[in-house]
Amino acid sequence: MNLLSASSAASFVGQQVLIQGWVRTRRDSKGGFSFLEVNDGSALASLQVIADQKLANYESEILKIGVGACVTVRGTVVESKGQKQAIELSAEEVTVLGSADATYPLQKKGHSLEFLRSIAHLRARTNTFGAVARVRSAMAFAIHDYFRKNGFVYLHTPIITASDCEGAGAMFRVSTLDPEKLPRTPQGSVDFSQDFFSRATSLTVSGQLEAETYALALGKVYTFGPTFRAENSNTSRHLAEFWMVEPEMAFFDLDMNAALAEDFLKTVLRTVLVGCPEDMGFLASRADYPVHETLQHIIESPFERLSYTDAVAILQKSGKKFDYPVAWGQPLQTEHERFLTEQEFKRPVIVTGYPKEFTAFYMRLNEDGKTVRAMDVLVPRIGEIIGGSQREERYDRLVARMQEAGLNTAEYEWYLATRRYGSAPHAGFGLGFERLIQFATGMENIRDVIPFPRYPQHAEF
RNA sequence: UCCGGUGUAGCUCAGCAGGUAGAGCAGGUGGCUGUUAACCACCGGGUCGGGGGUUCGAGUCCCUCCGCCGGAGCCA
């Protein structure tokens, strides 16, 4: 007998099958049978099971099946007499694998996303989180698929790093030292030479520097893995642990980098839109704005590209009053970015050429000596979804910028060596995977697009 | 971390001139029905986020801590 996923039952009408899943609701008919809605996670839709009183355990077990119970059902797929589903399963045997009593937190009613976050171990059993999980998975595969088809090598960069500054924010310390008895140097500071790695180490905030070294050997590489930022960020767009996609390409300049970012985003969005119509449709119906139209528009229209200098001019000419004044040399604020992408252009915007003062040391300096070949891809609602740059491949300029940034170049000898031996122009970017999922699904809080979110005060489960 | 809001039954919420708490859903019982967030009746269910204070009396006022939500900063 076939063990079926509920989503494929429709093509087995008339056949005897086995399905296994969790009961979403039970409705009893005094006509002598019960309806069980069983969901096995294979799709958004549940399968309606008809359990007749002639079943041996009808009184003893089936009538006591609560929301959340796990069952195995053997039965025949038949056309439904009801209106809301085409087929249903006429049960010949219902086995309760795991019961669920009245304390089961999920009920047949709407729950707030905040409440569901507090029961992250059970929230995957809801329509919304089941859909998000399937879309997330599909999107991850779409990303790998995109890079594979475009000749990229999938690279695993280290999670533990000794770089004390990768230019991307506060880091989580990794140590096996006993915090109660920290070894001290004669000067009184913590003696990390006695730590596991004989030096201070942290969780990575980016795999970029390592990825660069492989790009300068294999041509096109990308990383896709967990990333950690110890920033005390309390927003709907930040996590302490998130997944980042970082392609790095030798012989790419900034324009090629931007073109890749645009094609990549469009391809991945199109893939989940056509590949997950049911889940995407459900999530879109829950969002407070037209997700499908927005995505379709983005897939079809070219991204706007403009320089930081032009962006500043547009913002100044807009006549719009901003909380933070716009001035060349100052970073663009979120309100400025959102104005550009949501109101001025109404589509994704790629801003390039930021002043070097507030950009990372590894970004290539432009001929004007004032700006760098950086780019931010801004999308409506989310803001910055991608940050990238052409990298500084010229040894002397790179060293100079590292010194300006106050970095100890001795610790980056391995990185600098790539510029000393066979250096090449190259570029890359970082994409926040969860932000992309947010953007695609319309989910408002980034904590709801990752199974077990880590953020300040929260590392449960 | 900053600004604003908020925290009441298992869940979603109401209560507010300070006078010892209420609805819907969930659960139990009964009725009814190829039902579909089923429906009808009845029943059980609360240290009103934690701590402190003002008051004869605090869910309601004040202080403080914590969580949550929105916005900001940092960024992906």
Side-chain angles (χ1 to χ4, degrees), chain A residues 134-376:
Chain A
R134 284 183 295 270
V135 169
R136 182 182 172 113
S137 172
M139 195 168 275
F141 279 112
I143 286 168
H144 284 300
D145 201 44
Y146 178 85
F147 286 125
R148 191 163 47 85
K149 284 179 177 161
N150 284 280
F152 281 70
V153 169
Y154 175 30
L155 175 69
H156 297 128
T157 49
I159 304 290
I160 297 172
T161 178
S163 305
D164 63 358
C165 173
E166 291 173 338
M171 305 175 82
F172 289 102
R173 183 81 74 193
V174 172
S175 174
T176 56
L177 294 176
D178 181 352
E180 304 293 333
K181 292 177 289 193
L182 288 174
R184 297 284 175 176
T185 64
Q187 290 75 33
S189 55
V190 175
D191 184 6
F192 285 108
S193 72
Q194 295 187 42
D195 204 347
F196 188 89
F197 295 107
S198 298
R199 60 196 300 177
T201 49
S202 304
L203 294 177
T204 183
V205 293
S206 166
Q208 179 197 317
L209 301 190
E210 289 91 346
E212 281 188 52
T213 71
Y214 266 66
L216 295 176
L218 301 173
K220 292 190 281 190
V221 303
Y222 74 102
T223 73
F224 186 175
T227 307
F228 307 87
R229 303 272 168 93
E231 304 286 352
N232 189 14
S233 295
N234 291 288
T235 80
S236 57
R237 304 180 302 284
H238 289 85
L239 290 167
E241 177 183 291
F242 64 100
W243 286 63
M244 188 152 67
V245 178
E246 295 181 286
E248 193 71 37
M249 299 76 65
F251 317 116
F252 267 51
D253 63 16
L254 189 63
D255 285 340
M256 297 161 78
N257 199 25
L260 178 80
E262 177 173 346
D263 185 52
F264 165 80
L265 281 178
K266 287 178 172 176
T267 304
V268 170
L269 290 173
R270 192 184 301 116
T271 302
V272 292
L273 212 45
V274 301
C276 310
E278 194 185 25
D279 289 324
M280 290 291 284
F282 175 79
L283 293 169
S285 73
R286 295 309 188 88
D288 60 0
Y289 72 105
V291 176
H292 273 116
E293 289 78 351
T294 303
L295 292 180
Q296 205 61 47
H297 177 60
I298 278 156
I299 288 168
E300 288 163 4
S301 50
F303 290 11
E304 184 68 27
R305 296 203 203 171
L306 75 164
S307 69
Y308 165 85
T309 300
D310 290 344
V312 168
I314 287 171
L315 289 164
Q316 286 175 333
K317 271 190 293 186
S318 70
K320 173 115 174 148
K321 283 197 220 77
F322 294 107
D323 293 336
Y324 292 83
V326 182
W328 201 98
Q330 294 300 307
L332 296 181
Q333 301 292 319
T334 296
E335 59 175 341
H336 305 146
E337 296 178 340
R338 292 187 68 158
F339 175 82
L340 290 172
T341 185
E342 291 174 4
Q343 292 179 48
E344 178 71 19
F345 297 109
K346 295 185 167 59
R347 58 175 187 236
V349 176
I350 305 181
V351 182
T352 58
Y354 288 88
K356 68 172 183 176
E357 277 69 29
F358 55 81
T359 52
F361 70 88
Y362 48 73
M363 296 182 174
R364 192 181 199 280
L365 193 64
N366 273 320
E367 287 66 32
D368 61 12
K370 291 189 290 188
T371 60
V372 296
R373 292 191 188 169
M375 68 172 195
D376 280 352

Side-chain angles (χ1 to χ4, degrees), chain A residues 3 18-21 38 70-74 93-98:
Chain A
L3 174 60
L18 205 59
I19 68 138
Q20 299 184 303
V38 179
C70 184
V71 295
T72 296
V73 182
R74 180 170 59 81
E93 183 179 35
V94 175
T95 308
V96 179
L97 298 179

Side-chain angles (χ1 to χ4, degrees), chain A residues 24 36 55 81-82 116 145 171 215 284 324 369 372 433-434 438:
Chain A
R24 289 289 177 81
L36 300 177
L55 294 171
K81 297 177 192 169
L116 293 173
D145 201 44
M171 305 175 82
Y324 292 83
V372 296
F433 184 48
E434 284 77 15
Q438 270 189 285

Side-chain angles (χ1 to χ4, degrees), chain A residues 17-23 26 33-38 48-66 69-76 89-98:
Chain A
V17 302
L18 205 59
I19 68 138
Q20 299 184 303
W22 292 267
V23 175
R26 187 197 84 233
F33 56 95
S34 295
F35 300 95
L36 300 177
E37 249 175 61
V38 179
Q48 177 162 285
V49 172
I50 310 299
D52 195 86
Q53 62 183 353
K54 71 177 189 292
L55 294 171
N57 60 345
Y58 185 75
E59 295 279 339
S60 61
E61 286 192 298
I62 293 174
L63 280 180
K64 293 175 184 163
I65 288 173
C70 184
V71 295
T72 296
V73 182
R74 180 170 59 81
T76 304
L89 186 62
S90 179
E92 277 118 42
E93 183 179 35
V94 175
T95 308
V96 179
L97 298 179

